Amino acid sequence: MDPKGQRVKLNDGHFIPVLGFGTYAPPEVAKKEALEFTPFAIEVGFRHIDCAHAYQNEEEIGQVIRSKIADGTVKREDIFCTSKLWLTSLRPELVRPALEKSLKNLQLDYVDLYIMHYPMALKPGEELFPKDENGKLIFDSVDFCRTWEALEKCKDAGLAKSIGVSNFNHKQLERILNKPGLKYKPVCNQVECHPYLNQSKLLDFCKSHEIVLVAYAGLGSQRVKEWVNQNHPVLLEDPVLSAISQKHKKTAALIALRYQIQRGVVVLAKGNNKKWIKENMQVFDFELTPEDMKAIDGLNRNIRYYELHLAVSHPEFPFSEEY
């Protein structure tokens, strides 16, 4: 942690803010929400903005960052911007062009972090989810270790300060870590992580290799119908979280975010409500006790909100492993 307690050091020497602003929204509102809520998030103090080509709103995020730099709210170096390489661009020769496209949309010379969105390759092309006539995804066979080498070149070229992965299980991480001629280790593994899926085994594995775990869906999920199992319980209505939140006079969302920060996890908070976005910044104003932490650890029940069923038959599908 740095003195402000709001950033952690990555294994390549760069620093990442421990609280990030998530920019994913359902496609029909993604652009509108990006323009409406990202400027507000920056104004109230968010400095880590988590983006992705697949969210289809990088152009809007770029406009927002540009305008917040122009009006003096922030400098470029104050902002930690992440983008993600989509599954249709995992072939090594497609990696740099994909990053350059994101940079153009974001109006940036570099991203602070560029990560492989999933270890699974899909057929290259404009479509995010290429499907055959039966509605099945069309897979591509790419060794993600070759993709990783292309990411290393992007870091060397200064297009990304740091490089990492997302939705990798520990065996897939090991394949990169044990790769002959590895130049840079992934700085992070961004995965779904919250009190109902606390990823303690994967977290221990990542810590042992100086890889930061970044949590998405840290507040459960937005329950987007296409993606999320609607039968799962709502995390923020959990009685244990409610009791701890009453004790600290903080929202259940703040308790869930604070839990991650205290266990050394970088956590993303999505916001489509200004009151909540502002409230989430209070995560630095209080501390959970060891008893609180233990009680929240006890909520783990391996509930995955983002199951990604449509890719379950992919040879690199990451979620069949225990961790």
Side-chain angles (χ1 to χ4, degrees), residues 108-126:
L108 298 175
D109 301 326
Y110 66 90
V111 287
D112 296 273
L113 177 59
Y114 197 49
I115 60 187
M116 220 184 302
H117 210 141
Y118 281 92
M120 304 175 283
L122 296 179
K123 186 187 103 149
E126 283 307 299

Side-chain angles (χ1 to χ4, degrees), residues 21-24 30-31 33-35 38 42 49-52 57-67 81 105-107:
F21 184 70
T23 63
Y24 171 74
K31 292 175 171 25
E33 286 195 6
L35 290 170
T38 318
I42 293 171
I49 315 288
D50 182 77
C51 311
N57 58 5
E58 288 192 322
E59 237 174 302
E60 288 72 19
I61 305 284
Q63 291 166 27
V64 169
I65 293 174
R66 194 54 41 226
S67 75
C81 183
N105 286 338
L106 290 162
Q107 299 182 52

Side-chain angles (χ1 to χ4, degrees), residues 5 7 99 124 187 298 318:
R7 303 190 306 163
L99 173 50
V187 297

Side-chain angles (χ1 to χ4, degrees), residues 91-111:
R91 292 186 183 179
E93 68 275 13
L94 299 178
V95 172
R96 183 164 175 162
L99 173 50
E100 286 171 340
K101 187 179 183 191
S102 280
L103 289 172
K104 183 170 176 270
N105 286 338
L106 290 162
Q107 299 182 52
L108 298 175
D109 301 326
Y110 66 90
V111 287

